[in-house]
Amino acid sequence: MSSTKPPTQRDVARYAGVSTATVSYILSGRRDRANPVTEQTRERVLSAVRTLGYQRNHAARSLRRQRTEFVAVVYRPPSSPWGERLVDQLHEAARGQGYSVIVLPAGPDDRTGNVLRVLREQYVDGALMLPNHSVPDSELAALAQHGLALVVYDDETPPAGFDVVRQDQTAACHAAVSHLVDSGRRRIAYLGHGQPGEPPEDDLRFAAYRTVLADRGLERDDSLVRAAADSRSAAYQAATAMLSRPDRPDAIFSGSDRGALAAIWAAIRLGLRVPDDVAVVGVGNTDEGAVVSPALTSVGTPRFDFTAVVDRLFERIHQPGTGTVLHQPWELIVRQST
């Protein structure tokens, strides 16, 4: 049996003719030095790594640095275009910090338990918690108390050792449903999140829908309320069924652009005109919604720029704080579908 020891960073440095600090910097993936290394030096080090067969020992490095150099994104499936853009920007920032990103799906099932195990056992140094992440406030506070950097998207959770991002969903969704009523719509259907065949989840979007109808004196027809916003096919089927009725709705408010676009396709397939016969509003302000015909009226963040949120996560990893509130308010973007 061979007793040859595996190569070390010192061996790589000697072979490439550079310092061990330069080897460590290059292998970390970081590019944040005041005097960055040249591409020739970078390639010389990487060539030495390949020639010597050097492999980084992440466990030993984490133990030595007291950092895992991983951050997590916790999200509720299905993913959304704005969430995917946030993850892209997190990857870009993480690369510059020498970090990697893991994406963890959570929900009302046992997946949230798996997410909590990863966070409690500190497999990561920090986490971005996207809306509807299903982790209780008490758990978030406990995680922060044990040193985990957290940035949490939630309109109601108070900052408790972690930072919170407010989107003001209620005000934006209230404006969306009010816009439909103001344009003369009286039978407004709702496509919400949740399992098809069950009542939609009682989230901020559904609450805004109910509140506006009640405030405007409009009767809510529960047969026009479906859990279908998470799936294009479910939304298409639900919209087709509702729009085929003699007493069809004259507007549809969907908890996602995904569901709203499917509702538009259903209406067009039935020979209905959007917005003349039925107006449609979604949630998300996705690129797809902006380029279809008719372009989709939607509520969401007007710009997919999450630099401040991503930067705050890494700030908290390096410099813990007591928790503050950041604002990325949603807006109503009126287009041709209403």
Side-chain angles (χ1 to χ4, degrees):
M1 181 180 295
S2 172
S3 60
T4 303
K5 293 182 179 180
T8 65
Q9 284 196 9
R10 184 174 286 105
D11 296 326
V12 173
R14 187 181 302 112
Y15 192 94
V18 298
S19 68
T20 54
T22 297
V23 172
S24 178
Y25 174 78
I26 291 173
L27 296 184
S28 73
R30 295 162 52 202
R31 292 178 179 267
D32 58 350
R33 283 204 335 192
N35 298 308
V37 298
T38 65
E39 286 304 314
Q40 292 87 345
T41 299
R42 185 180 300 277
E43 180 52 39
R44 197 161 70 247
V45 168
L46 296 178
S47 177
V49 167
R50 292 189 294 268
T51 300
L52 297 176
Y54 171 74
Q55 296 287 336
R56 296 180 75 194
N57 187 329
H58 184 77
R61 177 181 174 85
S62 297
L63 184 63
R64 185 172 64 253
R65 295 171 62 91
Q66 295 295 295
R67 293 275 173 81
T68 67
E69 296 181 339
F70 279 92
V71 291
V73 177
V74 179
Y75 77 102
R76 174 75 176 274
S79 62
S80 63
W82 80 265
E84 292 169 357
R85 178 57 186 147
L86 188 154
V87 172
D88 286 344
Q89 292 188 7
L90 180 60
H91 274 291
E92 294 169 8
R95 188 180 304 114
Q97 297 273 348
Y99 270 71
S100 298
V101 178
I102 60 174
V103 181
L104 302 172
D109 51 26
D110 59 0
R111 283 179 293 187
T112 298
N114 294 331
V115 167
L116 282 173
R117 183 177 68 85
V118 171
L119 300 182
R120 286 171 182 155
E121 298 181 14
Q122 297 186 338
Y123 284 87
V124 297
D125 296 329
L128 281 178
M129 314 293 291
L130 301 195
N132 304 315
H133 49 74
S134 301
V135 176
D137 291 355
S138 58
E139 289 284 359
L140 294 173
L143 291 167
Q145 188 174 13
H146 284 86
L148 183 68
L150 291 172
V151 178
V152 179
Y153 274 86
D154 198 288
D155 281 351
E156 298 176 325
T157 297
F162 53 85
D163 295 290
V164 174
V165 183
R166 303 284 194 229
Q167 296 175 304
D168 299 331
Q169 292 188 29
T170 297
C173 292
H174 193 285
V177 183
S178 296
H179 169 65
L180 292 172
V181 177
D182 291 340
S183 64
R185 313 294 170 164
R186 293 296 178 266
R187 283 183 57 77
I188 304 174
Y190 176 70
L191 302 180
H193 294 288
Q195 294 297 320
E198 298 180 5
E201 294 177 5
D202 190 14
D203 57 14
L204 296 177
R205 304 169 199 194
F206 191 24
Y209 166 79
R210 297 194 308 265
T211 298
V212 173
L213 294 191
D215 290 348
R216 295 299 190 93
L218 299 178
E219 182 179 355
R220 189 178 83 233
D221 184 346
D222 286 338
S223 68
L224 298 181
V225 175
R226 304 285 184 87
D230 290 337
S231 161
R232 290 181 187 273
S233 60
Y236 180 85
Q237 292 170 12
T240 298
M242 291 189 291
L243 294 173
S244 297
R245 294 168 43 163
D247 59 343
R248 67 174 182 253
D250 56 10
I252 296 177
F253 175 50
S254 169
S256 71
D257 276 8
R258 180 187 298 108
L261 291 170
I264 289 177
W265 298 336
I268 293 173
R269 181 76 177 271
L270 292 170
L272 300 175
R273 298 167 299 167
V274 180
D276 295 3
D277 298 318
V278 58
V280 181
V281 178
V283 172
N285 189 31
T286 61
D287 290 341
E288 184 180 7
V291 300
V292 298
S293 182
L296 178 65
T297 293
S298 184
V299 295
T301 179
R303 292 168 296 279
F304 283 21
D305 182 3
F306 306 101
T307 304
V309 174
V310 169
D311 287 349
R312 177 58 58 87
L313 178 64
F314 286 106
E315 288 172 12
R316 290 299 182 235
I317 289 174
H318 301 301
Q319 184 65 48
T322 58
T324 60
V325 174
L326 293 80
H327 292 276
Q328 285 192 336
W330 283 3
E331 297 178 9
L332 171 64
I333 298 97
V334 178
R335 301 191 181 100
Q336 287 75 35
S337 69
T338 57

